[in-house]
């Protein structure tokens, strides 16, 4: 009525409140902030009806996490600085294990101390961090501005406090600074501002990323105060001298080493040539009679076109073929991925067989026939053979020498994952599941989480299972798992199984691997005494590489400052992430991170 005006104020938040502890903090905090509100409306089960008219005053949702923070501090201030109304486990078990995702401190996700890792980088490890405050002020603009008397808004002050809380003397320095400039009249920090630390200590709050609350461009790539001060980000320190040889000497050394390797008939040897790019390795290998393996069919064909230009004869293994019959595609792929290429070839022979003529389209029969003919030629040829890394590892060709152009590690060691729920789905698709598979499911579901386990040999009829699953809609890496060496059950999602497939290089062949990016340590662990290493990496460059290290230019970073980088770069050609190409004036067409290196 006109005599008694009543209003309902609706606060839109960006995350739903599903925890009663959070609901109580928010309601009690709002009632403390607005004591004129109806105190009987605080219970969680109350149902509200609309009024006669409504007004939208703000379309931006309130961050639920920030509202919890502010209202918790309000309760502490209203209780004379005591923190008894704020529970220590306000954010559940999230701080210990990362399991509780109700409030993942979303504006802190990119911090080095995010809840998924360790939210308390110092106090739980014994003592607070000691930093050089002079360096900290030079590198973190908002810290310097605060210490010079700039009056920070609550969000900025709160963010800075979450960082200072983990540094020795940080809490005291903030309080002394706030008191000092309050006395001079430059700032008017309230008791709420001083009670920020009382709240942070009670709930073990992690540092908030500096770039999320600082208004200064100088801080837009900074995470926490400790790493910004202690890590030499943007500076390169050369620990020891690098002796680089002239390019002509490197080319001569490479040709000599490659010639000696070709003459060396020591069995079971793996020759690693670590080379700078553009030294001429492809030109050297195309004149060699051997099996030459490239990472993909496209790169294989590219080597073939270079051989065509200099009129060198060669054969190639067939490119992947896509049949109209999707079950056929799946079946062949399954056999290849688990290292049974002969089984895949048998499927193709089954397609062209006269007795199965009615089961497949003429198009599929023709494709299978052409594929088999090209495969036969590649098996029997004594000419140079071009193939892919995966085929060179799985199939035995006639040549005694296999040359891998680029590092084949991704084909040797594959890390994949399997979803146990996919296996359960098989039971609901025409009752495909059998007792053997049920035993596999039970074994995986009973395995310990986060524990690396050797993959046992399961008593399972793979041919029968492949035939059944190829007719289903299951898109799972099920069969690769049976060829794996080790697996681990995910610590967060127990339905996910991560596993590794470790494939061997042929032991009766001469193996030559040429790449600029060979992870030497891993090869040494895998192959030990079989390795012969020729390292020609440190070569003088003809041009210049100017490396700008002040910004990370990661996807996350470019979301914030791609526009600024674009202005600096101007019209120069740019190679970046595919989704960020349109942010620059002159992106290189068809080249982006992931499809070139």
């Amino acid at each position: 009525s006109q005599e008694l005006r009543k209003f309902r104020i609706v606060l839109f938040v960006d995350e739903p409140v599903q925890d009663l502890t959070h609901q109580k903090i928010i309601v009690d905090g709002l009632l403390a902030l607005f004591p004129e509100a109806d105190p009987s409306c605080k219970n969680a089960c109350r149902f509200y009806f609309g009024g006669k008219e409504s007004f939208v005053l703000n379309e931006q949702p309130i961050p639920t996490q920030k509202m919890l923070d502010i209202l918790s501090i309000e309760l502490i201030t209203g209780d004379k600085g005591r923190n008894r109304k704020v529970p220590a486990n306000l954010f559940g078990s999230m701080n210990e294990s990362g399991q509780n995702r109700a409030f993942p401190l979303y504006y802190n996700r990119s911090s080095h101390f995010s809840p998924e890792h360790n939210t308390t980088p110092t106090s739980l490890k014994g003592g607070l961090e000691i930093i050089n405050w002079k360096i900290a002020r030079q590198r973190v603009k908002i810290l310097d501005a605060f210490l010079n008397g700039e009056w920070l808004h609550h969000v900025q002050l709160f963010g800075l406090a979450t960082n200072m809380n983990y540094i020795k003397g940080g809490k005291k320095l903030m309080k002394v600074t706030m008191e000092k400039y309050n006395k001079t009249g430059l700032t008017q920090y309230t008791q709420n501002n001083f009670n920020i630390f009382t709240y942070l200590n009670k709930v073990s709050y992690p540092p908030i990323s500096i770039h999320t609350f600082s208004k200064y461009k100088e801080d837009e790539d900074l995470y926490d105060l400790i790493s910004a001060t202690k890590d030499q980000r943007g500076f390169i320190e050369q620990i020891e001298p690098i002796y680089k040889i002239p390019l002509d000497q490197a080319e001569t050394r490479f040709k000599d080493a490659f010639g000696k390797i070709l003459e060396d008939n020591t069995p079971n040897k793996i020759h690693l040539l670590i080379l700078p790019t553009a030294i001429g390795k492809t030109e050297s290998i195309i004149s060699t009679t051997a099996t030459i393996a490239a990472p993909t069919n496209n790169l294989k064909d590219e080597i073939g076109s270079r051989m065509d230009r200099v009129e060198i004869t060669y054969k190639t293994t067939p490119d992947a073929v896509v049949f109209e019959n999707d079950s056929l595609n799946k079946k062949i792929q399954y056999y290849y991925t688990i290292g049974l290429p002969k089984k895949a070839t048998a499927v193709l022979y089954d397609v062209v067989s006269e007795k199965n003529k009615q089961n497949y389209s003429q198009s599929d029969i023709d494709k299978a026939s052409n594929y088999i003919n090209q495969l036969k030629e590649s098996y029997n040829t004594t000419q140079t053979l071009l193939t892919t890394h995966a085929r060179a590892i799985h199939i035995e060709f006639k040549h005694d020498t296999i040359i891998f152009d680029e590092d084949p590690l991704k084909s040797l060691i594959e890390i994949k994952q399997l979803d146990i729920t996919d296996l359960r789905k098989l039971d609901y698709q025409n009752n495909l599941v059998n007792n053997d598979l049920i035993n596999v499911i039970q074994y995986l579901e009973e395995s310990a989480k986060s524990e690396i386990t050797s993959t046992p040999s399961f008593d399972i009829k793979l041919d029968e299972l492949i035939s059944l699953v190829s007719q289903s809609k299951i898109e799972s890496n099920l069969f690769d798992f049976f060829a794996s060496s080790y697996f681990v059950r995910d610590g967060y999602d127990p339905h996910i199984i991560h596993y590794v497939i470790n494939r061997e290089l042929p032991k009766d062949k001469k193996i030559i691997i040429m790449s600029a990016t060979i992870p030497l340590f891993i090869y040494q662990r895998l192959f030990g005494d079989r390795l012969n290493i020729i390292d020609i990496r440190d070569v003088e460059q003809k041009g210049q590489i100017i490396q700008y290290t002040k910004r990370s230019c990661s996807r996350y970073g470019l979301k914030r400052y791609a526009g600024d980088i674009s202005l600096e770069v101007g019209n120069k050609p740019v190679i970046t992430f595919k989704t960020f190409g349109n942010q620059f004036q002159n992106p290189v067409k068809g080249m982006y991170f992931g499809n070139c290196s």
Side-chain angles (χ1 to χ4, degrees), residues 547-558:
Q547 188 171 6
Y548 178 65
T549 58
K550 290 295 285 183
R551 285 171 164 154
S552 69
C553 293
S554 62
R555 283 188 183 90
Y556 185 78
L558 287 176

Side-chain angles (χ1 to χ4, degrees), residues 89-331:
N89 65 339
L90 182 61
F91 303 117
S93 61
M94 181 186 64
N95 288 350
E96 287 89 45
S97 65
Q99 295 279 10
N100 184 350
R101 304 301 174 98
F103 284 101
L105 301 177
Y106 59 93
Y107 56 163
N108 186 48
R109 280 174 183 160
S110 61
S111 170
H112 298 319
F113 307 129
S114 64
E116 285 78 2
H117 298 96
N118 191 330
T119 61
T120 46
T122 50
S123 57
L124 284 186
K125 295 179 180 178
L128 300 175
E129 284 281 352
I130 297 172
I131 66 170
N132 185 317
W133 290 106
K134 185 177 179 181
I135 294 174
R137 293 186 69 165
Q138 290 171 354
R139 295 187 183 168
V140 183
K141 179 67 176 174
I142 194 167
L143 171 65
D144 187 55
F146 168 74
L147 294 177
N148 281 328
E150 181 176 320
W151 189 15
L152 301 186
H153 291 292
H154 171 82
V155 171
Q156 296 170 317
L157 192 71
F158 185 87
L160 188 59
T162 63
N163 283 267
M164 299 285 270
N165 202 32
Y166 291 100
I167 301 168
K168 189 170 184 180
K171 189 192 311 183
K172 182 179 178 182
L173 179 60
M174 274 198 79
K175 287 186 174 180
V176 168
T177 303
M178 290 159 69
E179 289 167 353
K180 172 185 171 182
Y181 290 112
N182 268 5
K183 286 178 182 177
T184 63
L186 276 176
T187 60
Q188 287 90 50
Y189 291 115
T190 66
Q191 197 56 46
N192 267 6
N193 299 138
F194 284 95
N195 282 328
I196 287 174
F197 284 110
T198 308
Y199 170 64
L200 297 180
N201 292 333
K202 182 69 179 285
V203 298
S204 301
Y205 215 97
I208 296 172
S209 299
I210 294 169
H211 65 78
T212 62
F213 62 82
S214 176
K215 64 181 181 181
Y216 294 103
K217 288 181 72 67
E218 295 94 326
D219 296 341
E220 62 186 2
D221 206 31
L222 298 182
Y223 290 90
D224 55 88
L225 186 55
I226 296 168
S227 65
T229 305
K230 288 197 158 187
D231 296 349
Q232 297 291 307
R233 188 171 196 167
F235 298 90
I236 295 172
E237 179 185 357
Q238 188 169 314
I239 298 169
E240 57 186 38
I242 301 171
Y243 300 102
K244 298 192 174 185
I245 60 174
L247 180 57
D248 56 349
Q249 288 185 27
E251 289 172 339
T252 302
R253 188 177 163 193
F254 163 58
K255 287 174 184 175
D256 291 345
F258 187 54
K260 288 178 182 176
I261 290 170
L262 292 177
E263 293 171 4
D264 183 4
N265 293 317
T266 307
N268 200 28
K269 269 290 179 189
I270 299 170
H271 303 275
L272 291 186
L273 284 89
I274 312 173
L275 308 167
T277 54
I279 200 172
K281 62 182 172 67
T282 306
E283 294 301 322
S284 298
I285 65 178
I286 61 176
S287 58
T288 307
T289 303
T291 296
I292 300 173
T296 64
N297 280 311
N298 284 342
L299 289 171
K300 174 198 75 178
D301 295 339
E302 187 179 305
I303 295 172
S305 66
R306 293 173 76 166
M307 296 177 77
D308 288 334
R309 286 198 292 271
V310 291
E311 298 182 347
I312 297 174
T313 57
Y314 63 93
K315 295 289 184 183
T316 68
T317 52
D319 291 351
V321 60
V322 179
F323 294 100
E324 293 174 358
N325 186 320
D326 192 46
S327 172
L328 201 56
N329 293 324
K330 284 185 179 180
K331 204 177 290 188

Side-chain angles (χ1 to χ4, degrees), residues 14 25 39 85 114 130 148 156 224 318 341 360 365 374 399 419 439 453 485 488 498 508 524 533 535 549 558 562 565:
D14 65 349
I25 289 285
K85 291 185 178 180
S114 64
I130 297 172
N148 281 328
Q156 296 170 317
D224 55 88
Y360 304 101
I365 293 171
Q374 196 175 347
H399 299 101
D419 193 333
N439 292 335
T453 308
S485 304
V488 60
H498 304 273
D508 57 344
Q524 287 170 329
I533 300 164
D535 191 343
T549 58
L558 287 176
I565 297 283

